[in-house]
Amino acid sequence: MRLFISDDAAAVACGADRVAARAEALGLKVIRTSSWGLHWLEPLVEIESADGRTGYGPVDPSDLEALLRGELEHKRVGAIAEHPFMVRQDRLTFARAGRTRSLSLDDYAATGGWAGLERARAIGPAAILEDVTASGLRGRGGAGFPCGIKWTTVRQATGARKYIVCNADEGDSGTFADRMLMEGDPFCLIEGMAIAGLAVGAGRGYVYIRSEYPHAIAKMEAAARLAAPLIAPFEIEVRVGAGAYVCGEETSLLNSLEGRRGEVRAKPPLPAVEGLFGCPTAVNNVLTLAAVPWILAHGGEAYAGFGRGCSRGTMPIQLAGNVKHAGLFEAAFGLTLGELVYDIGGGTASGRPVKAVQVGGPLGAYFPPTLFDIPFDYEAFAARDGLIGHAGIVVFDDTADMAQQARFAFKFCAAESCGKCTPCRLGAVRGRETIERVIAGEDRAANLALVEELCETMKFGSLCALGGFTPYPVMSAITHFPQDFER
Amino acid sequence: MGRLMLASALEEIVVRHAAREGPLLPILHDVQREQGYIGEADVRRIAQALNLSRAEVSGVVSFYHDFRRAPEPLPVLKLCRAEACQARGGEALARRAEERSSGRVKVEPVYCLGLCSVGPSAMVGDTVHARLDPDALDALIETIA
């Protein structure tokens, strides 16, 4: 009898390795797959039978014998592909999640792998760019810049050589889709990078992965070695960050790759024109590049068929924090925040009322339930003074203190500022001090006015999003939760 | 960890990466993996080998949170202090970790391990731990102390 257990870091952190070891000790054949993304059920164990795979979770090693006797019915989840959490999704980028072994070239090829690259090679750079532009794909790292325009700029730029740089410095709290993709379907990212290389005329690509992701680093390095002959002459090398949040900013990342301090560069010049080692460089997030194989295999129009307005395609949304059904939910743009938090997420894990959600990482705004009618798309969030960022949604229950969250936003910015520009370097420190005065009840109105003024300066005067967006969590906390600043 | 590295070992690391584009970070990672930190003498030798100034190498070492400039004698527990873990009781856990580990384990903050759906989470070396509650945290500290 075969058991399927994920080797994704989230499953492993919940004890999946111990479950797998126990199962093998009981003489069972264990297949380690990627994770479906239903993380509240991890470690999830699927048993294979004539009717397919039946899931049980969360499974403890001590549950296995009961499971084999058919006495673990209270943890029975059924067929995962038919789970309500799954059937509402549009899994394009994460089509293989839970279904394949991440480092199996056979599994990858058997599930449509390399079809995009094959077509890309057949149609050539101009047609690839046309397809990617038609897909409406925008930067999934948070900036939302149209991918087709970026790639066309790199294509047209002149340089001794060109590069593809994959930004896998996924530092935003509440996000883990890059990690899951790299650990679960690394060949998909490699295929996307190879297509990007063809499109812009680059011969070499780097994947810059944060050091906090040892599992993703190991999988990507192994996958890059295995796939090397299939993507040649394009070459991919994995590089490891060193614990600097700001290196998720593209110019800072390029400096880090070059072996420098991860300080932000002023733009222009854009990396597309003058990027890594001064050469034209396409810097794209993991999810942007991983969306490309599907687009090339099925056509740009098909991808654009999902979504709404200027937000086309699907977004791998990550439900995190204090939420009952935490995990990965890939869907076309357009679901409302309320649908995501309540209908799909099931409300808080603690069972207490939802107080706020932070969308888009530490630089994203806090929204109260009264604003949960906002549809998930780039423009709708911008119109409400927020951002979807990398699409992480962190849920907080009513025990959260939003004044402390505002203080944390400044504290985080101060700790992670690269120090290049004054509004961020000094503003974050002064902001934290001023919020602390507000919390201590010192001259509240005047100090809050000062914070607001400081936020304006940081927003418009900072070189990058770290200083520029820290005002989002701070000001949204002040605007939507004024009572928390009056205690 | 914390043992002094022979000049020849550093030489070997530098040679291994010298032909790469932008070799400094890979070199620093390997030096730290080898001896647990990057000392002044290492900075001097790396600078010389890569034809950089000591200030340039030193500036890179000090910029990144991962790099240590002195050996860390205690086992290190990296506890996630970012928002998603905060929302699941991470701050109370961090206070407890400080109390329970005093002098035996170095508790360091980390801002996100990408385990935001199963927090609060922590990492020891390359091993990840999730759904930490006070009991699980205490057990983890006792295991590594």
Side-chain angles (χ1 to χ4, degrees):
Chain A
M1 187 189 295
R2 298 200 303 173
L3 295 193
F4 295 79
I5 302 172
S6 170
D7 61 359
D8 178 274
V12 170
C14 292
D17 284 352
R18 289 193 298 276
V19 178
R22 178 76 190 131
E24 278 170 349
L26 291 170
L28 297 159
K29 169 87 181 142
V30 177
I31 314 272
R32 302 302 294 267
T33 65
S34 51
S35 171
W36 288 92
L38 285 68
H39 290 159
W40 74 97
L41 295 172
E42 294 289 2
L44 176 73
V45 173
E46 291 172 89
I47 297 190
E48 193 178 44
S49 70
D51 312 328
R53 283 152 64 171
T54 306
Y56 294 81
V59 172
D60 189 78
S62 62
D63 288 334
L64 282 171
E65 276 151 315
L67 175 62
L68 294 178
R69 289 193 306 269
E71 289 168 10
L72 201 67
E73 286 310 289
H74 61 290
K75 290 192 177 179
R76 183 193 166 97
V77 192
I80 304 301
E82 289 155 31
H83 192 281
F85 190 82
M86 284 299 299
V87 294
R88 292 188 67 176
Q89 302 195 42
D90 306 298
R91 289 231 166 147
L92 309 186
T93 302
F94 279 87
R96 292 183 191 84
R99 299 171 194 268
T100 58
R101 295 168 294 177
S102 55
L103 290 176
S104 164
L105 281 168
D106 291 342
D107 286 9
Y108 189 66
T111 48
W114 311 118
L117 180 59
E118 210 169 292
R119 180 159 166 264
R121 282 175 173 151
I123 63 178
I128 300 171
L129 290 173
E130 237 169 72
D131 236 15
V132 171
T133 304
S135 76
L137 177 66
R138 295 168 66 176
R140 298 292 188 238
F145 190 80
C147 185
I149 294 178
K150 184 184 280 186
W151 286 10
T152 304
T153 309
V154 180
R155 174 93 212 157
Q156 290 166 350
T158 48
R161 53 198 188 279
K162 295 176 185 179
Y163 293 101
I164 305 298
V165 170
C166 172
N167 183 345
D169 195 48
E170 183 179 51
D172 288 353
S173 175
T175 67
F176 44 82
D178 292 352
R179 182 186 63 66
M180 281 184 70
L181 194 286
M182 290 187 288
E183 288 184 23
D185 199 6
F187 298 126
C188 178
L189 173 58
I190 288 169
E191 186 180 354
M193 289 179 72
I195 295 168
L198 280 176
V200 308
R204 193 168 178 76
Y206 286 101
V207 187
Y208 183 95
I209 310 178
R210 60 201 298 265
S211 61
E212 293 86 345
Y213 282 2
H215 297 76
I217 293 164
K219 288 267 181 66
M220 280 309 304
E221 282 180 340
R225 275 194 299 275
L226 289 167
L230 296 163
I231 58 167
F234 189 72
E235 292 177 344
I236 287 178
E237 187 178 328
V238 174
R239 285 292 175 95
V240 180
Y245 174 77
V246 75
C247 287
E249 197 283 333
E250 60 178 1
T251 61
S252 159
L253 188 156
L254 294 176
N255 276 335
S256 184
L257 267 179
E258 291 182 10
R260 303 168 197 274
R261 292 162 67 87
E263 282 179 357
V264 172
R265 299 176 185 173
K267 288 190 274 194
L270 292 170
V273 179
E274 223 173 282
L276 189 61
F277 301 107
C279 299
T281 305
V283 187
N284 286 116
N285 173 252
V286 173
L287 301 180
T288 314
L289 289 162
V292 170
W294 195 95
I295 291 168
L296 265 290
H298 298 84
E301 301 290 337
Y303 190 77
F306 294 88
R308 70 195 289 274
C310 295
S311 303
R312 311 310 310 182
T314 62
M315 189 76 209
I317 294 163
Q318 299 125 86
L319 295 167
N322 194 339
V323 63
K324 196 172 169 195
H325 298 153
L328 182 98
F329 193 88
E330 182 178 356
F333 288 95
L335 286 167
T336 67
L337 207 41
E339 286 174 295
L340 288 164
V341 173
Y342 293 120
D343 303 350
I344 293 154
T348 63
S350 61
R352 302 182 65 95
V354 175
K355 177 164 182 172
V357 296
Q358 185 179 29
V359 184
L363 308 175
Y366 287 100
F367 292 105
T370 48
L371 294 178
F372 279 9
D373 61 334
I374 309 176
F376 209 84
D377 85 28
Y378 292 100
E379 279 70 34
F381 268 68
R384 296 286 186 89
D385 291 322
L387 47 108
I388 64 170
H390 193 46
I393 300 180
V394 177
V395 180
F396 291 79
D397 72 12
D398 62 349
T399 60
D401 178 345
M402 304 314 288
Q404 288 300 335
Q405 297 307 124
R407 175 182 168 275
F408 176 77
F410 275 132
K411 183 184 162 197
F412 182 75
C413 181
E416 299 298 333
S417 176
C418 80
K420 177 99 170 179
C421 71
T422 317
C424 175
R425 184 181 67 242
L426 295 185
V429 177
R430 297 291 169 252
R432 175 184 168 178
E433 291 166 359
T434 314
I435 286 276
E436 282 171 353
R437 278 186 211 114
V438 171
I439 293 171
E442 284 173 41
D443 215 351
R444 258 192 202 118
N447 276 317
L448 276 175
L450 202 56
V451 168
E452 192 167 344
E453 207 176 302
L454 178 66
C455 281
E456 284 288 297
T457 304
M458 289 178 72
K459 190 171 174 180
F460 296 106
S462 298
L463 265 182
C464 84
L466 180 51
F469 290 180
T470 293
Y472 280 118
V474 173
M475 288 312 299
S476 59
I478 294 173
T479 307
H480 302 310
F481 307 92
Q483 68 284 2
D484 283 14
F485 292 82
E486 286 163 11
R487 283 195 267 219
Chain B
M1 296 289 252
R3 66 182 184 279
L4 269 176
M5 195 165 60
L6 293 170
S8 59
L10 186 128
E11 184 75 8
E12 200 263 320
I13 289 172
V14 171
V15 167
R16 192 189 312 155
H17 296 296
R20 299 172 89 173
E21 296 180 314
L24 185 52
L25 256 70
I27 289 173
L28 294 176
H29 273 303
D30 278 6
V31 171
Q32 174 145 318
R33 192 173 304 118
E34 187 75 22
Q35 66 176 6
Y37 73 104
I38 300 155
E40 266 313 304
D42 306 313
V43 167
R44 207 166 38 238
R45 273 141 54 187
I46 293 166
Q48 206 166 20
L50 299 184
N51 200 21
L52 296 169
S53 70
R54 276 163 63 190
E56 282 172 291
V57 177
S58 208
V60 170
V61 173
S62 67
F63 182 86
Y64 296 94
H65 298 306
D66 281 1
F67 297 135
R68 295 178 198 283
R69 280 178 283 182
E72 173 53 60
L74 297 177
V76 176
L77 172 71
K78 290 187 175 180
L79 194 61
C80 180
R81 305 290 297 278
E83 291 91 337
C85 285
Q86 290 170 13
R88 295 168 83 106
E91 289 307 281
L93 217 53
R95 287 190 292 275
R96 187 182 181 92
E98 284 298 342
E99 287 165 21
R100 298 284 159 137
S101 63
S102 58
R104 299 183 298 146
V105 171
K106 174 97 184 285
V107 181
E108 288 187 349
V110 59
Y111 292 102
C112 201
L113 295 170
L115 304 171
C116 320
S117 49
V118 289
S121 57
M123 185 155 78
V124 178
D126 283 350
T127 309
V128 284
H129 303 267
R131 291 188 191 133
L132 291 174
D133 57 16
D135 288 346
L137 177 76
D138 291 355
L140 181 58
I141 289 170
E142 292 313 315
T143 312
I144 62 174

